[in-house]
Amino acid sequence: MSPSPSLPSPPSPTGSLDVPDGVPSTSASSSAPVSSPEGLLSGSSDTQEYRSCQETPDDRHLKSAESKSSSWSSSPLSVFYSFDRSKTQRGQEEKLGLPNIGNSCFLNSALQCLYSLPSFCGDIARQEALWSPQSTSLKLLRYLGELYKSRQGQSSYKGKRKLLRSIKRSMAELNDEYEDYSEQDAHEFLLLLFMKMKMEGETLQGTSTSPSYICPVQNFEFRLQCVRTCSSCGDKVIQEEEVHNNLSLDLHPLLITGLKSFFKPSELECTCRQCSGHQATVVRHFLTLPRVLVLHVKRYHNDGAQLRKVTDAVGIPPLLSLASLVGEQGDAAGMDTEDHSNQTTYRLSGIISHLGESIDTGHYISDIVGENGTGWLTLNDSHVTKTAEATVLKTREETAYILFYVLW
C-alpha cells in the first residue's frame, strides 16, 4: 500500500487521560478527581498541569496494565527529579516541558520531537523576519516559532499555554475536532501540521512581493520510484511517485524488517505495452532521501469485529541504513544536494509512544535526544526527566508509535 501525505484511513490510538482541572472532556473517565504524588510536585507551576496525568483511576489502571511489562518499572516515567540535582540543571530541563491544555498529549509529544530536530528548528529561526509580523500569512509558523523560543527560556509558562491554544485553533481550520478538548491521534496531527505549514508557505510564495521562503516541512520530504517489470518479456516501466513525508509500516519484530517489507517486490496484474503479457513484478525504491525520516508503526489491527491496539514488541535500532532501498536512479537523482552526497545512514533522534492497551484511551509521551546531541530526555507534557538511549530502546519496544531518524 502506498504511503500518502493524506490522513490514515483506520482510527489510530488516541490520548485521553490528561485533562487539566476545570476543562471539559469528552471522556467520562477523565473527569475523575486527581491528586499529585505528595511532596514531589509542589513548588512548580508546570507540575500543576502535569498532576492531571498522574493519579486518575484510569491512570492507575493504565499503570497496572503497563506493569505487565518489565519495562514499566524501570521506565523514566516512574522516576522524578532527584533532590540532589541543582536547581539550575532542573530548570534547564523543565523549561523544555509543555503544559497540558486539555487532552493535548498528542500535540505536545509531536511538537517535542519536531523541536529536537536542528534542521527543522534552524529553518524556523532563520526566517523569523518572515513569520514574526502580526500581518504574516505564516500564522502557524509564527506560533511554532514563538513556542520554540519559549522552550529556550524566552517566554513564560502562561505564554506556552496561549501558544499551544493558538496552534490548535490554527489546526482547527483543517479539522474542526481540534476546536474542543477531545483526544486526537498524534500521527494524524503530525500530517495535518505538515499540510497546514505547506499551505501557508504556498500562500506566501503566491504573492508577488514575497521574499524567498523555505518551508521547514522540506526536511521530511522524499520521493519514491516504482519499477514495473513484465514477467513475460522483461520490459520495464519506471514511474516517480508523489512527494512523501512519512512511511507507515506494518508491525514486525524488528523495525528494519517492517521497512524492508514496505519495499519488498509484489505481483501485479496488468497489460504489458510490448508483449501484451498480463503479469508484472513491482519494486519500489527511494528516489530521494529526506534529512529526517519519519516512520509510523501501525499499532492497530482489525480482527473482524473491532479495531484493537497491538502491543507486540518491535526492535528499535539506534542506526538505520537505507543503502539497500535506494534505486539506481536514486544515486544520481536524490543524494547530490548540499553536503549529503551518498549518505544513507540515519540515527534515531526521537520517539512518540502511546501508553495504554486500547486505541480509544491512553497517553502520549516522547523521548528525544538532548540538546547538543548528548543524552536523552523523556518528556511527559510539562514533566521532563533524563534517561539513557539504552533505556529508551528497551522500554519503548511495546509502545513506540512514531519514530524520527536524522541523516547521520
Side-chain angles (χ1 to χ4, degrees), residues 274-292:
Q274 296 294 337
C275 70
S276 299
H278 298 290
Q279 196 74 22
T281 300
V282 178
V283 179
R284 304 165 82 188
H285 297 286
F286 281 104
L287 182 61
T288 64
L289 292 178
R291 293 187 183 91
V292 182

Side-chain angles (χ1 to χ4, degrees), residues 31 51 114 155 180 252 277 291-292 361 383 406-407:
S31 62
R51 66 178 182 170
L114 293 178
S155 182
D180 57 32
H252 289 265
R291 293 187 183 91
V292 182
T361 187
H383 192 64
V406 178
L407 197 62

Side-chain angles (χ1 to χ4, degrees), residues 225-231 237 239 241 262-270 279-285:
Q225 65 177 6
C226 175
V227 181
R228 190 178 69 213
T229 305
C230 176
S231 301
V237 176
Q239 295 178 319
E241 296 185 5
F262 182 93
F263 288 93
K264 70 180 181 181
S266 60
E267 299 298 320
L268 175 69
E269 290 188 5
C270 60
Q279 196 74 22
T281 300
V282 178
V283 179
R284 304 165 82 188
H285 297 286

